[in-house]
Amino acid sequence: MRVIINDNSTVEFFDDNRLCGTYHYEDPFKSYFRPLNTPDGRDVVDPPPKDHPHHKGLQFGLCLSDVNFWEEDLAHEPKERQLPIGRQLTERIDTLPVTQGIGFTQTVMWCTDSIVSFLETRTVTVTQAPNAYVWTWRSDLIASRNLKIVTSVWPGPGYTGLGLRLAQALFQQGSTRPSDITSGATPPAKESRSPSSNKRNKPTHSFYPAARIRQGSPT
Amino acid sequence: MSFGPTNNRELDLRQGEHLKGTYAVTVAKR
């Protein structure tokens, strides 16, 4: 497998000459993967529909009490909570040394025009498994100020964290695993197992959900 | 669908604190 950072704002992952996924890192609001392909070349994410333009692919977002990093314009924010729109801006992106896997590391500044909320180090790698690609997405966000992460006001489990809009074909003949994971599920938080990356002895809040997505056969 | 640290709970972070996480996503063919 191999990874290429293109000057045109994308990172492409290949299995031989098959495209595994494309990561867009110069989006004005958030970076995202689309397509995200199965080994036989089927994309498991849908493009954003007109009524949800912020559903771009496999992406990571949060909502703070005073800045929204999920929706991307007032028209699509909840009417009961209209907040300034935040942006995740790429400060730097590099491929990883081969010894650290096939992937990239990205420095992301979470900000509005007037305030910075987080500096993030994001590392994404991919490995091969039988009939599958296994992606690992690591995020380490450092709060740039005192802040509060809040829950979604939308009905249901909410829309924050790592999210994607699955291709509709998956809902016809596919499945999500583990089967007891539902949209917005929140596995128990665990302490970080990477103390070396938190040398300043600051408290660390961690989350370790895992999603397994199996491609169905489109009809 | 989404998986994250904030669903159904709020979280206060002070300046300098970390929010760290790892997601694994397997994209497989049947």
Side-chain angles (χ1 to χ4, degrees):
Chain A
M1 302 188 77
R2 58 194 169 94
V3 58
I4 301 171
I5 297 179
N6 298 307
D7 291 338
N8 66 353
S9 77
T10 60
V11 183
E12 293 178 309
F13 291 78
F14 291 95
D15 172 13
D16 289 329
N17 289 322
R18 291 188 296 274
L19 181 67
C20 311
T22 300
Y23 185 73
H24 302 258
Y25 64 85
E26 288 289 2
D27 184 85
F29 294 99
K30 59 176 69 74
S31 300
Y32 61 94
F33 273 96
R34 195 178 78 239
L36 196 62
N37 290 334
T38 64
D40 54 353
R42 293 171 179 165
D43 188 3
V44 301
V45 300
D46 263 354
K50 288 182 179 178
D51 58 348
H52 288 77
H54 48 287
H55 289 187
K56 293 176 168 171
L58 182 69
Q59 61 191 46
F60 187 82
L62 294 170
C63 191
L64 308 183
S65 60
D66 55 359
V67 184
N68 186 354
F69 289 99
W70 187 257
E71 287 89 6
E72 299 173 351
D73 59 73
L74 290 175
H76 293 92
E77 281 195 300
K79 287 187 170 52
E80 58 270 45
R81 190 169 68 194
Q82 300 255 298
L83 297 172
I85 300 298
R87 299 174 184 271
Q88 301 175 30
L89 302 180
T90 298
E91 295 279 283
R92 183 183 175 102
I93 189 164
D94 299 287
T95 54
L96 288 171
V98 175
T99 54
Q100 296 180 27
I102 304 299
F104 64 83
T105 184
Q106 179 187 22
T107 304
V108 183
M109 182 170 64
W110 296 52
C111 62
T112 63
D113 291 340
S114 59
I115 193 166
V116 178
S117 297
F118 294 109
L119 286 176
E120 178 191 356
T121 301
R122 180 179 299 175
T123 305
V124 178
T125 59
V126 65
T127 59
Q128 277 186 297
N131 294 323
Y133 300 127
V134 180
W135 298 87
T136 302
W137 178 305
R138 293 186 176 88
S139 285
D140 182 357
L141 295 93
I142 304 174
S144 299
R145 59 188 176 92
N146 297 341
L147 51 82
K148 179 187 286 290
I149 300 172
V150 297
T151 59
S152 170
V153 301
W154 295 112
Y159 296 91
T160 58
L162 191 72
L164 77 167
R165 192 179 188 97
L166 288 168
Q168 290 194 7
L170 291 173
F171 293 93
Q172 298 169 8
Q173 295 185 22
S175 62
T176 59
R177 298 186 183 188
S179 58
D180 59 344
I181 289 268
T182 58
S183 176
T186 306
K190 298 177 182 177
E191 288 304 310
S192 170
R193 295 173 183 170
S194 304
S196 61
S197 59
N198 187 22
K199 294 178 180 175
R200 291 189 295 170
N201 200 30
K202 294 287 186 181
T204 298
H205 305 272
S206 302
F207 46 98
Y208 288 87
R212 182 175 177 85
I213 303 165
R214 185 168 290 275
Q215 168 74 42
S217 300
T219 55
Chain B
M1 66 179 180
S2 61
F3 303 90
T6 65
N7 296 320
N8 301 320
R9 69 187 177 105
E10 296 186 342
L11 182 63
D12 290 302
L13 288 175
R14 287 178 295 181
Q15 183 176 6
E17 288 187 329
H18 289 242
L19 178 68
K20 299 175 69 173
T22 300
Y23 293 94
V25 179
T26 300
V27 183
K29 66 178 180 180
R30 179 172 287 175

